[in-house]
Every structure is written in structure tokens, then in C-alpha cells.
Amino acid sequence: MGAFCCGKPTALEENEIKNAASEFRGLRGDIAGKPERTIMILFGPPGAGKGTHAPKIVEKLGTPQLSTGDMLREAVSAGTEIGKKAKAVMESGGLVSDDIVVGIIRDRIKELDCSAGFILDGFPRTVAQACMLDEMLKDSGEGVKQVLALEVPDSVLTARICGRWVHKASGRSYHADNKKPKSLPPGATPTVDNMKDDETGEPLMQRADDTEEALAKRLKGYHEQTVPILEHYQPQGIVVKVNANQDMDTIWNAIDVELPARMRRSIMILFGPPGAGKGTHAPKIVEKLRTPQLSTGDMLREAVAAETDVGKKAKAVMESGGLVSDEIVVGIIKDRTKAPDCGAGFLLDGFPRTVEQAKMLDSMLAATGESVKIVLALEVPDSVLTERICGRWVHKASGRSYHVTNKKPKSLEKDPSAKPSTANMLDDETGEPLMQRADDTEEALTKRLKGYHEQTVPILQHYEPKGIVKRVDANRDMDIIWSSIDAII
């Protein structure tokens, strides 16, 4: 391997790290600490349209919708400490306490997809729970940012809910007023005899809680519990009430106007030639910034598997033997970055590869008022990379890796002066021959480095005028390299 500094950083290196931290502090904002999250509570009586509009809110804000029931089941299934407590209570026939529910929420909102915030649905249900939620958030210096209440008169809700009928086997839904089955005669009172599925002719059914009697109880509980919670948050000026007794587009427009802007604080591109250490440092960046690392190849495979519109286009091109166009790749990135785990930002790895792709990425981000915040380039001399890469040998069956210089197998240590070969490079555990990857040869590496320099340098030059390109000397001890990166991000 090339020359490395070991142990404590030199005075020059310490100065470099301090300067990088000072220079970048303004751009990084709160990232190094904890970005301010968009924390929302969504209220609405049954039939108000939460199920229709919540997914749109999730997409716009890039924050997940958290249902108390779902979180409870996930915690029990995952066997977390708080999940075990909940399971024990449920198995004994008891009701899960507010303390346990708050504990489950506390654990859930530590997940990566909540890094930009979250939407609580179904909690709090009482003022006492709201106070517990406030205290929990206060511990981390946070608080509820918005309480969104969808409001519909009870009489309208009764018509909406009590008119619903369902085909149990398929889940197809109908309504006695605005989505009638063909079997219902005009002017007839809906019954199990005349409410039948259009496709099978089988009787439809009403859910047990969709009757007028059941709904009256649900609405009574909603008004008794929800109004005091709204009053609890009203003095903070964060309660937003939306008239949900309008057509769907008008309701959404009213919601959309009230939603806070989606502000991603960390959109980063990671550059580095093969062997520069991206695989070592990218996971640390992900952990610190709480943003996912997005690989073009992975996103492409996910989009094809999920059969998204752009994934179908990519699949058709690949099946015809063609190359996936830049437009399709950018479309896949655009779709992927709408996911909740990208709410606080994302780390692009493997894209852009050309200046043209960089310009397309810039245009995509500009459409939402965003831009690349950091271009991080790990730099290592080609001669050092050649030694790092071409000295790698692998045990194919297990994936165990070795190096002819700094991680020799025992078989090579017996004759240190011998030239590495399949005869003397053997796995320590099995004694089986090691192998070199096809692209770890000097010839293959030369081509890869040529492509990297020809494509990457112009991209760095493209972003250089914006002052966001940060170069890190990656030909040093791993801890010192990370300290330099850490100071930048």
C-alpha cells in the first residue's frame, strides 16, 4: 500500500480538518446535529377522507404516516424491549398503557425514514396522551409542528359511512348513493337482497362499524376526545382546520396550501475511483446524516421489480438489449427520492457519470427548489490504487478477502519472496485457492481509472463554481480520512 500516516493526526492535518469544519459549517446547517423535523398530527372523524389525503401528504413532505396499531404490531413482531412489554400485556388480556404506546412511538421515530419528520395518525386520542407526546418530544428539543384536522358535519359522515357496502371476497366497494351496484333498483332501500357484486352477483355486506348505531358511538368518542386535543394545541397556533365537505381536489388544495415546505438539508454526490474507500466511508456518512445511499443499479432493479411506470420503460429497453437512457435513469431517481427515507436528503453513488447527467440532475432538483449541497470527492493517486486493487485476492465461496501486502494468507507468508499465484494464495480456513476478480487486474483497472478521470473531472469542474466540491485526501489512515469527511458533512 502507499504511504499512510498512522496514529495521531499531524498539525497540518489537524489544521486541515478544522478549516474544513469552519468553511462548511454554514452550508451544513443543523445536519451534524439533528435537523428540525416536520412533526404532524392528522385528525379526522371516520369518513372525513384521511385515507384519501394522507398518502398525498406523505409524498409531498417525504415523511411516513405512523399508525399506532401498525407500530404496536411491528414492535411486538420485532421483539423490541417495549414490544415485549406490550405483548405480555395483550396476552394477559389487558389494555396497552399510554406509557408503552409512547415508548413504541419513541423507538419508531428513531428510524431512518423519520429523519425529516413523521405524521401521527390515531395518536394522541386524549389530552393526557398529547401531554405525554409533548414531553417525549421535548426530551429531544422537538415539538409538534402542525395539527391538521379534517372537518365534516356528522350528518354528511352518516350518509358517507352508512351507505358503504363491500364485496368481502374481493374488497370491491360500493355506495348506496354515489356508487350503486347494478342490482339496486332506483328508489329502493338498500338490503342484502338487492346489494350484489357487479362481477360475481354475490351479496354485499356492511362492516360492523359502518352502521348508524356504531357510527354514532364512534363520532361521540371522536368529538369528546379530539376537540379537547385541538384546544390543547390551539394556543401554540399550530392547529389547521380544513373543510373536508367539498370535492376532493378542493380539499387537497386547501391542505396543500397549509403544508410546510419539504426542506431536504443534505443532497450529496459521492465520487471516488475504485479502491478510494467509498465502501468504507459511505456507511458512516449514511449513519451520521440519516440519509440513504442510492446506487443507480439498485434503484434500477427496484423500479423494475416494483413495476413502476418508469421501471416498465427500463425493463422494455433492457429486454430489447438496449441501454437505459439518461431520461429513464433520472426518472427512476426522481421516483426513488420521493420515498420517506429520503425526506432529509440522500447520497448519490454512481450518478451522475457525465456532465450531461449532472445537468439533468440539477434540472430535476430545481423543479422542487432544491439542489446538490455537497460533492464529495475521495482522491488517491493512481499508483496507490493499483497497489490496493491489484493486490486483492478473494475466497469465492465465503467472500473472505486477502491482500498480498497488508493481509497475506498464511500460505504466502511461508515464502514471503514468492510471487502471488493461485498455487500459493490459499484460504486460511479451507486451504482452497483464492482468486482475483476480473476487474482487479492491472489491465482492467487502467481502463476503469481512465473512464473515471475522463468523466469525473469535468463533473467536478461543473460544480466547482458553486463552491460545493469538497476534495478529501484518501491516501491516509482511515480514521484521519473519516475525520476530514466528518468535518465537511
Side-chain angles (χ1 to χ4, degrees):
M1 304 289 284
F4 276 75
C5 298
C6 298
K8 186 179 179 181
T10 65
L12 183 62
E13 288 165 340
E14 283 184 341
N15 190 52
E16 175 194 338
I17 292 169
K18 289 176 183 176
N19 286 342
S22 175
E23 172 190 356
F24 217 69
R25 202 173 309 280
L27 178 60
R28 73 196 253 204
D30 292 326
I31 281 293
K34 185 182 299 186
E36 187 176 357
R37 297 192 287 187
T38 300
I39 300 173
M40 177 188 291
I41 301 173
L42 181 61
F43 284 123
K50 286 198 302 175
T52 299
H53 298 294
K56 300 177 190 176
I57 299 173
V58 167
E59 182 176 351
K60 178 167 182 181
L61 298 184
T63 58
Q65 177 185 4
L66 305 183
S67 157
T68 315
D70 290 343
M71 286 186 284
L72 187 58
R73 285 186 288 272
E74 288 167 5
V76 171
S77 176
T80 64
E81 287 303 314
I82 199 79
K84 290 175 183 176
K85 291 180 181 178
K87 184 179 181 181
V89 171
M90 291 188 292
E91 287 180 344
S92 70
L95 292 174
V96 177
S97 69
D98 288 349
D99 289 332
I100 289 178
V101 174
V102 170
I104 287 170
I105 294 172
R106 180 185 287 112
D107 285 351
R108 176 63 182 86
I109 63 177
K110 292 176 183 176
E111 298 297 322
L112 180 62
D113 63 343
C114 293
S115 56
F118 49 90
I119 303 161
L120 284 172
D121 179 8
F123 188 91
R125 290 185 181 276
T126 65
V127 171
Q129 289 180 345
C131 292
M132 292 178 71
L133 173 66
D134 294 343
E135 285 300 314
M136 182 199 80
L137 294 173
K138 187 178 177 182
D139 288 343
S140 55
E142 298 179 297
V144 175
K145 293 292 184 292
Q146 190 174 78
V147 178
L148 184 64
L150 304 183
E151 301 194 321
V152 180
D154 287 3
S155 58
V156 175
L157 293 172
T158 301
R160 285 186 188 179
I161 300 293
C162 298
R164 295 193 301 200
W165 291 71
V166 180
H167 180 237
K168 187 175 181 179
S170 67
R172 282 185 290 273
S173 62
Y174 299 83
H175 195 277
D177 294 321
N178 53 32
K179 194 180 178 183
K180 300 177 182 179
K182 298 173 184 176
S183 58
L184 181 65
T189 300
T191 67
V192 289
D193 294 325
N194 58 22
M195 294 292 283
K196 298 185 178 180
D197 181 47
D198 286 348
E199 294 188 23
T200 66
E202 296 172 342
L204 301 178
M205 60 167 283
Q206 283 191 295
R207 294 188 177 96
D209 55 358
D210 278 359
T211 63
E212 197 161 344
E213 182 181 2
L215 180 62
K217 292 180 181 178
R218 295 168 69 191
L219 290 176
K220 181 175 183 290
Y222 177 78
H223 291 303
E224 288 179 350
Q225 295 175 346
T226 304
V227 172
I229 296 173
L230 296 179
E231 290 171 351
H232 168 75
Y233 286 112
Q234 199 80 49
Q236 299 177 37
I238 59 175
V239 175
V240 175
K241 298 180 180 181
V242 172
N243 176 10
N245 187 27
Q246 309 174 82
D247 70 87
M248 288 298 137
D249 290 341
T250 304
I251 298 168
W252 170 245
N253 289 337
I255 294 171
D256 192 26
V257 168
E258 299 291 349
L259 295 178
R262 175 173 177 159
M263 294 295 292
R264 286 192 279 219
R265 293 167 175 78
S266 178
I267 298 176
M268 180 187 295
I269 301 173
L270 180 62
F271 284 122
K278 285 198 302 175
T280 299
H281 298 295
K284 300 176 188 176
I285 296 172
V286 166
E287 183 178 356
K288 178 170 182 180
L289 298 186
R290 305 286 291 163
T291 59
Q293 178 182 4
L294 306 183
S295 158
T296 315
D298 291 343
M299 286 186 285
L300 186 58
R301 285 186 288 272
E302 289 168 5
V304 170
E307 296 186 334
T308 63
D309 288 341
V310 75
K312 290 176 182 176
K313 291 179 183 178
K315 184 178 181 181
V317 171
M318 292 188 291
E319 288 180 343
S320 68
L323 292 174
V324 177
S325 68
D326 288 349
E327 287 80 5
I328 289 178
V329 174
V330 170
I332 286 170
I333 293 172
K334 184 177 181 180
D335 284 352
R336 175 63 183 85
T337 58
K338 290 177 182 177
D341 65 340
C342 295
F346 48 90
L347 173 65
L348 282 172
D349 179 9
F351 188 92
R353 291 186 181 276
T354 65
V355 172
E356 189 58 36
Q357 288 181 345
K359 291 178 179 177
M360 293 177 71
L361 173 65
D362 294 344
S363 295
M364 182 201 89
L365 294 171
T368 53
E370 299 177 299
S371 63
V372 176
K373 297 293 190 295
I374 309 173
V375 177
L376 185 65
L378 304 183
E379 301 190 325
V380 181
D382 286 5
S383 58
V384 175
L385 293 171
T386 301
E387 186 177 353
R388 287 186 187 181
I389 300 294
C390 299
R392 296 192 301 202
W393 288 70
V394 181
H395 180 237
K396 187 175 181 179
S398 67
R400 283 185 289 273
S401 61
Y402 299 83
H403 195 277
V404 297
T405 305
N406 55 31
K407 194 180 179 183
K408 299 177 182 179
K410 296 173 183 176
S411 55
L412 184 63
E413 289 179 341
K414 293 177 182 178
D415 187 4
S417 61
K419 183 179 179 180
S421 68
T422 52
N424 59 21
M425 294 292 285
L426 307 176
D427 180 47
D428 286 350
E429 295 190 22
T430 65
E432 295 171 344
L434 303 177
M435 61 167 283
Q436 282 190 295
R437 295 187 177 96
D439 56 358
D440 278 358
T441 63
E442 194 161 349
E443 181 181 5
L445 180 61
T446 300
K447 292 180 181 177
R448 293 169 70 192
L449 289 176
K450 181 175 183 290
Y452 178 79
H453 290 305
E454 288 178 351
Q455 294 176 345
T456 303
V457 172
I459 296 173
L460 296 179
Q461 292 171 344
H462 167 73
Y463 285 113
E464 202 88 61
K466 299 179 181 180
I468 60 174
V469 174
K470 302 297 162 184
R471 303 172 190 264
V472 172
D473 177 4
N475 186 26
R476 299 177 292 172
D477 175 80
M478 287 298 145
D479 289 341
I480 296 174
I481 297 169
W482 171 246
S483 294
S484 296
I485 294 172
D486 190 31
I488 289 171
I489 64 174

